Amino acid sequence: MVSPLSLPTLDRLKATVSEGLDVYAITEQWFATFGKELQSHNIDNVLSLCTDDVFWRDTLALTWDFRTFQGTTAVKQFLSDRLALSTLSSFKLKKNLIELEKPYADLVWIQAFFDFETTVGVASGVFRLVPMADGSWKAHAIYTNLEDLKGHPEQVGARDYNPNHGKWTAKREREIAYVDEDPKVIIVGAGQSGLEISARLKMMGLNALVVEKNQRVGDNWRKRYAALCLHDPVWFQHMPYIPFPATWPVYIPAVKLGDWFESYAHSLELNVWTSATVTSVVPGSTKRWRAVIKRYDGSERVFEADHVIFALGLGGSVPNMPKFPGMDEFRGEILHSSRHKRATDHTGKKVVVIGSCTSAHDICADYVDNGVDVTMYQRSATYIMSVKEGMPRLMKPLYWEGGPPTDIADRVNASFPNHLMKLMHQRITKSTAEADKDLLNGLRARGFKLTLGDDDSGFLQLAWQKSGGYYLDVGASQMIIDGKIKLKNDSLLSHFTQSGLCFEDGSNIDAEVVVFATGFGDPRDAYRELLPEAIGSNLPKIWGLDKEGELYGAWREVGFAGLWCMMGPFVSARFHSKHVALQIKAQEEKLFGTRYR
């Protein structure tokens, strides 16, 4: 029986930590036994090294899937089912990555990294040991991660190019045009997910074509509203192989990011077709999938490939546009935030923005900065965290200036199962709310509806569960407090009138422009536009957390062999693009095992 989910505090463990602790000796002794017992398949002995409520999270290494097991009963079943298939060996402790950590006064653990091998792969791991009442140390969390396939490492390093530029140019032109060979993988979308999985596949020797509907790589950021700027710090956003320059702003403007995307694709010689649209993806005759691509000149190319990766973002291409009576009678302009460009397009007009999360705040702030009368209509409570006070608490020490290399930070981050991370974030959210007290009290005084998120766990759980419901404040909250952004949230919207909006309590707002900052629909809707109905209607869920705390569908096949989902924020795209590429490479090389379901 697993005990109720809780943090491994010293009080709960009835443990103390003495001064002068020999962290290295404790870690080496534990790890030597751990590796020996795993290789001998002595599962009960492995479990004796763990707390009763231990977490074991695995990414592809032992399960060919994304799984988290909690408690010795679940871990025992997992190891019983998978150890014999995995043939673990070559355990090696990374002695330079052993550290005693004290994130809070009542939380102490030893964190360490290790390497090992499986039947077909090279893998890494992270474990955290906590003190027990009897003076021993046991694992409370173990993470195992597939890094590479044996015999098929990433092809990184300098390339031997012919110095004749004309020959190089001609070669690249033929490669991009697919004159001599067809792509093995079709990628739909050239955002961060599409570009990063393309780069990963290239480094594994797999030819991938990225198809982008916009005229230029990066237009998916350039063509959004002019005020758009990333709200996560630059250290969180790095892309594989080419990190952002050390001189870049902490919060990257969208136009700057779009230009970087274009440079990234060019520098890594990724094959991208712009002004091109995948019009259908159907079962193929010689390969699994047949993709029809319409190009800028009206011509069509048809490719058959075993793998099609949808990299269309969290919302895909289908805006969420609620319908209200009277919209067809409204004399003003109605648009979704995805079509909004700049505040000066509506100079001198009264604007209502429906929504109260990131896009809504950004757009409203831009209107205020440009002297436009704007009202925010808040439909539900919103989580607010300032980037000044909250972001350092959330991102330090992993994703901040002076933090560890990104590869290390990503593995530490992944080593915290989401259910465990939620407990940590409850503390962070409480601390952040106290630091943001004046800001939050000011919003409450204006009538703004606030939430601390699911079970008071703040930003991250909202992002994983619904990809929304929050605003990381870069200044718009003060505009609400000061009344510069007007606020309406005391009644449900009933219908549109010719001149504005009418609410269920009988109140009205005059408007000449209404912007729906209401996000996007089910990500699968964009997939279904391209797939046959029989396939599209049977796609599994691809966002939100399952009962183990893992994301549904993302970074694996979505219900059908060779149809892949590549999505998520920059940190996820960077880390999990490698996992998607490993799965595809393993299938191509006939090394892929069975997913542990």
Side-chain angles (χ1 to χ4, degrees), residues 339-379:
R339 289 178 49 228
H340 172 71
K341 300 305 177 187
R342 56 189 61 82
T344 51
D345 292 342
H346 302 132
T347 299
K349 296 183 178 181
K350 290 183 178 294
V351 179
V352 173
V353 175
I354 297 178
S356 58
C357 298
T358 301
S359 295
H361 279 83
D362 284 351
I363 292 169
C364 285
D366 192 29
Y367 279 127
V368 170
D369 286 339
N370 285 278
V372 177
D373 183 317
V374 61
T375 299
M376 175 187 289
Y377 173 53
Q378 183 185 28
R379 300 178 300 163

Side-chain angles (χ1 to χ4, degrees), residues 205-223:
L206 294 173
N207 190 325
L209 169 62
V210 185
V211 183
E212 170 56 44
K213 65 182 179 181
N214 284 303
Q215 186 177 4
R216 293 170 59 192
V217 173
D219 276 352
N220 60 320
W221 287 95
R222 290 189 200 94
K223 291 186 174 182

Side-chain angles (χ1 to χ4, degrees), residues 423-475:
L423 299 178
M424 294 292 290
H425 278 235
Q426 287 173 340
R427 291 191 171 197
I428 295 171
T429 300
K430 183 179 179 180
S431 169
T432 300
E434 180 61 29
D436 284 336
K437 179 172 61 177
D438 291 344
L439 180 77
L440 299 180
N441 285 340
L443 287 169
R444 291 188 185 96
R446 292 293 298 178
F448 192 89
K449 297 176 181 177
L450 294 168
T451 177
L452 291 180
D454 180 33
D455 292 332
D456 295 345
S457 59
F459 159 67
L460 189 65
Q461 293 296 315
L462 287 169
W464 288 149
Q465 290 286 15
K466 55 189 291 190
S467 185
Y470 56 83
Y471 169 60
L472 308 181
D473 178 45
V474 293

Side-chain angles (χ1 to χ4, degrees), residues 9 97 217 279 316 337 383 566 574:
T9 61
L97 293 174
V217 173
T279 59
S337 59
Y383 175 66
M566 182 66 217
R574 176 181 63 243

